[in-house]
Amino acid sequence: MARVFNFSAGPSMLPEAVLEQAGAQITNFQDSGQSVMEMSHRSKVFAEIFDETKANLRAALNVPKTHEILFLQGGATMQFAAVPMNLTAGDRRRADYAITGSFSNLAYKEAQKFAFCNKACSSEDSNFSYIPEQSQLKLDPGVAYFYYCANNTIYGSEWPYVPETAVPLVSDMSSNILTREVDFDRHAVVFAGAQKNMAPAGVTVVIVRKDLPKALDGTPVMLDYQTMIKSDSMHNTPPCWSIYILGLTLKWMIRNGGIEGMAQLKQQRSSLVYDFIDNSDLFSGTVRRSDRSGMNITFTTGDESLDRKFVSDAESAGLVNLAGHRSVGGMRASMYNAMPIEGAAALVAFMKRFELSVKGVN
Ligand SMILES: Cc1ncc(COP(=O)(O)O)c(C=O)c1O
């Protein structure tokens, strides 16, 4: 079978050049006589992969010296606990949470085990179809941090602005990291699971301010940012293979214009699909236009059985994983950095054909 256009929300497509390079090196990395999967994480050859990957990530995202880059395990979900455990010791035991979808809700619930959390806003009243505006945020200047999920993978919305707050920001950027610049002067912690824009599942990128306070008493060592900062993510065995693939993906990204190139591609891909949806009599988007995600495009025909037919016909045409999340239904086209513009064009061409066939034209 030829390679398909895979619209999965994650794990998702990786650049073909990266897969080929990893394949070519799989049994013998750069004449070391070993696969990266077999190497000691403390060996010189792996140290080079690790250091280069970290340096390339620092350069790509313009991460200042005030912040450390960590390569951790446990997925983005583990950070839902790590964040409050590391940021709410001392007299700032409270945190503000913006609830704009499933993952921010999960993060809020987890954080409540360790800190006093306020809902600074919620778009649940309208099935998370929008991002609240700055004027709608209920901000408490005494909290340790303000938490938001920059891109809501399930509902298909993306913050069109960076919240203005008196306190540091914490952001889950799992589904839009490396697609836009990040202002690290305002973010104390940015984290992202790798399996959408960076690498296979296994590594979680966590970028933290180095001068964070001591973690809460009783914080497990694997969740303690200071331990991981001191050991350069090597308190135990790091996810070596995923870090290596992240390194290859970053080099691919640099060859393709870096963040700016990725941001342009994101804009081109998503406007192709949104423009078609906006002019279609059959399909409609599910998110307020100003807040639509550049990565996860959610849409529906309004008829569940037609939606199911769309997903299954698309699969037969080589466009796979277009079903919406099981909790939402409809369709979702996830197009991360590795999705070529041809994938978006093929999706639009298929949507056109489908619409015509429903109208009985074909
Ligand atoms: C925005 C966001 N946050 C968190 C998660 C959970 O990530 P993980 O499975 O790495 O824990 C996901 C997974 O899709 C996500 O999209």
Side-chain angles (χ1 to χ4, degrees), residues 9 74-78 80 103 149 151-153 172 174-175 193 195-196:
T77 304
M78 188 123 111
F80 297 169
F103 292 109
C149 178
N151 185 82
N152 297 284
T153 323
D172 175 357
S174 293
S175 44
Q195 62 271 24
K196 303 171 201 297

Side-chain angles (χ1 to χ4, degrees), residues 49-73 79 177-178 182 184 187-192 194 198 203-212 224-235 238-239 242-243 246-247 250 259:
I49 296 174
F50 185 95
D51 292 345
E52 188 184 34
T53 301
K54 210 167 114 175
N56 280 340
L57 185 56
R58 189 175 282 284
L61 272 176
N62 229 336
V63 180
K65 289 204 173 78
T66 45
H67 288 62
E68 186 56 273
I69 296 175
L70 304 175
F71 296 136
L72 306 182
Q73 308 205 42
Q79 297 308 310
I177 195 159
L178 295 175
V182 179
F184 284 100
H187 289 82
V189 181
V190 165
F191 64 88
M198 300 190 280
V203 63
T204 310
V205 168
V206 185
I207 306 174
V208 292
R209 278 195 70 94
K210 290 178 191 162
D211 62 357
L212 290 177
D224 187 334
Y225 291 154
Q226 295 301 344
T227 302
M228 287 301 182
I229 291 172
K230 275 189 214 119
S231 60
D232 201 8
S233 303
M234 295 230 191
H235 176 74
S242 300
I243 293 169
L246 168 59
L250 285 165
I259 294 275

Side-chain angles (χ1 to χ4, degrees), residues 92 94-96 118 120 137-146 166-167:
R92 295 209 168 205
R94 304 197 307 282
D96 274 349
N118 315 313
L137 307 180
K138 282 190 247 111
L139 299 172
D140 174 349
V143 294
Y145 61 90
F146 177 95
V167 300

Side-chain angles (χ1 to χ4, degrees), residues 15-37 241 244-245 248:
E16 215 164 311
V18 166
L19 297 175
E20 274 161 13
Q21 203 177 345
Q25 298 179 330
I26 200 152
T27 55
N28 191 354
F29 175 78
Q30 287 184 355
D31 215 23
S32 64
Q34 310 159 59
S35 170
V36 175
M37 284 187 255
W241 176 257
Y244 157 67
I245 301 287
L248 296 184

Side-chain angles (χ1 to χ4, degrees), residues 48 96 120 149 162 169 222 235 242 288 303 338 349 354:
E48 277 166 20
D96 274 349
C149 178
V162 178
L169 300 172
M222 287 301 293
H235 176 74
S242 300
R288 182 164 77 181
D303 172 337
F354 188 84

